[in-house]
Amino acid sequence: MDRLRYRIAPLHPHAHRFEVRLAIEDPDPLGVQVWMPVWVPGSYLIREFARHVVCIEASAAGAALPIEKIDKHRWRCAPAPAGAIVEIRYEVYAWDLSVRAAHLDATHAYFNGSAVFLAVAGREHEPCAVEILPPPAQIGAQWRVATTLPRDGAVPWGFGAYRAADYDSLIDHPVECGRFDLVSFDVLGVEHHVAITGRHRGDLSRIAIDLARVCRQHIELFGAPPPFRQYLFLVTVVGEGYGGLEHRDSTSLLCSRDDLPRAGEETPGERYRGFLGLASHEYFHAWNVKRIRPEAFAPIDLSREAYTRQLWAFEGITSYYDDLALVRCGLLREAEYLEMLGETITRVRRGHGRLVQSVAESSFDAWVKFYRADENASNAIVSYYTKGSLVALALDLMLREATGGARSLDDLMRRLWREHGLEDLGVPEGRIEQLVSELAGTDLSAQVRALVHGTGDLPLDVLLAAVGVRLGLRPAFGEADKGGRPRLTGATTAPRAWFGARAGADGRLAVVHEDSPAQRAGLSAGDQLVAFDGLRAGGLEALLGSRPPGCVVEVHAFRRDELFRCEVTLEAAPADTAFLEIDDQAGDAARQARAAWLGRSEAERA
Ligand code: ZN
């Protein structure tokens, strides 16, 4: 029998509190120490889960045992009588409807182990038993349990006994209890399940068919069989929401009701493509980050920040493959994929932060910058997701070009899988960069260094030309223009003026761009626009629709409660909006290279 035994109960759904009991056999004779993670793997922000522990007590041999808090996330019990089992009972407040923590009410219970389970100091490597109890009968008589924690007596989808090989494993299998919908499918002999919580009218069979194609695509990239015996998508549907967190055998996804496909819907809309992209992303993580891990996460220290300059690879490469898999398995057409790629390039080009921070620096500082983005974020931070995915694209195209199509990023991922994933060996800093030159058979280190550690724009125009794709840049047609297309229907071709700021519907400036007319005039994020040229300010969009570049606008605005006046000289909108087009003049070699890259026969891609 396991010497560490957890029992978790959704005891007070209306108060959003789980009760957890932890029995510890053979406790440290000097007194047991327990601790709570301060962050959850996959989300690089100190979250201090211990702050939600609302009460805690300990006992041994039928008597209370003193327990005291010794720092923000640790407790120490007094020594227990010899031979006694120490039991710690505590309650955890769970009211965070995200994929990262825990949430409990009368409709369902969801938790990540890192938000609810105390670790026993020095015994993190021991296996443990976990009993998951149902809520009070009047609330949860029809509830079921969805988790990839190995069952140890519980019936499938039932409450009861589960177990985990160690603490890391205990907290890497999130648990959903409630009245979820369930759909299952098989991929190359491996069971996959989707459990959907929340009100929705999604077409379950459609979701299963499409996800099966995505999963198969990823498995075949790395080589069957996949590294798990089953896989579970835990989906929570809300009115408006978005998020995902990867786990070794499962993922938690948060999506909007309208992201799911309706029965009878013919072609997947943009929102459903977004949902498939998110699911694809988290599934790819089962290899890239859960098993191919940065050295800094092997082992992982959950009591403090774990610094790595490689999140661009673990998140960026994953972000590259999430949509690439959709086009390769036929869920996206080539033109749709290129449009999405154009949007990604646009997102990066519109942030001045790309000229200030490299993706390696963005990775390292994720804890204090990317995850704590403020009004200056776009000026100072580059996303290791978006730019990271473009670095991955650049590496892929560089490898293909250098080897005449014999090698690609797919080969690099398989090397990482064989040498690091299967061997459970962390990836050292610089290893991925080194592998690029190795696979290319030529020294690409200077080019790779520029991509990862540089702040210049990526040479995507040249690299894409080799696969017969032309990268164009133009000014935005308006606030709604996300890029990706050469032109928008109904958009005027007259030169557009640029103010250089973004305002909310209430006229308050959310962002003032670096080196922009608004910044030069002295406007700041938080300023409340009041009037343009003496008339009550409408939106910035209306202003720019009626003034040419070069026009001087008198602006009245409030900063805090103080009215001030300034003059903004509008400039011509910068060419920060990217779109990709197939170059019909490109030769056969480019066309074949493109077919190999997007992974499908030309007939299929039509
Ligand atoms: Zn990710």
Side-chain angles (χ1 to χ4, degrees), residues 435-450:
L435 267 179
V436 175
S437 289
E438 254 182 72
L439 282 167
T442 178
D443 183 10
L444 294 176
S445 55
Q447 292 94 313
V448 176
R449 166 158 278 277

Side-chain angles (χ1 to χ4, degrees), residues 346 349-352 354-355 472-478 481 495-501 513-517 520 544 549 570-579:
T346 301
R349 299 279 308 203
R350 284 184 183 169
H352 180 86
R354 80 189 195 283
L355 305 173
L473 288 169
R474 59 167 176 80
F477 292 120
D481 183 0
R496 259 185 78 86
W498 186 49
F499 191 87
H513 296 297
E514 184 73 22
D515 205 16
S516 67
R520 274 190 271 283
L544 297 174
L570 301 180
E571 294 171 18
D576 60 4
T577 304
F579 58 93

Side-chain angles (χ1 to χ4, degrees), residues 255-296:
C255 72
S256 305
R257 201 161 292 130
D258 291 340
D259 293 345
L260 299 182
R262 299 279 170 79
E265 212 171 74
E266 283 297 317
T267 41
E270 198 179 318
R271 300 197 60 146
Y272 179 48
R273 291 200 314 242
F275 171 80
L276 291 173
L278 176 65
S280 172
H281 180 99
E282 305 305 344
Y283 191 77
F284 191 83
H285 271 317
W287 289 265
N288 195 37
V289 94
K290 294 315 303 188
R291 292 173 173 91
I292 305 169
R293 297 185 288 168
E295 207 169 46

Side-chain angles (χ1 to χ4, degrees), residues 42 244 246 281-282 285 289 314-315 318-319 385:
E246 66 274 14
H281 180 99
E282 305 305 344
H285 271 317
V289 94
F314 292 95
E315 288 301 346
T318 302
S319 298
Y385 284 85

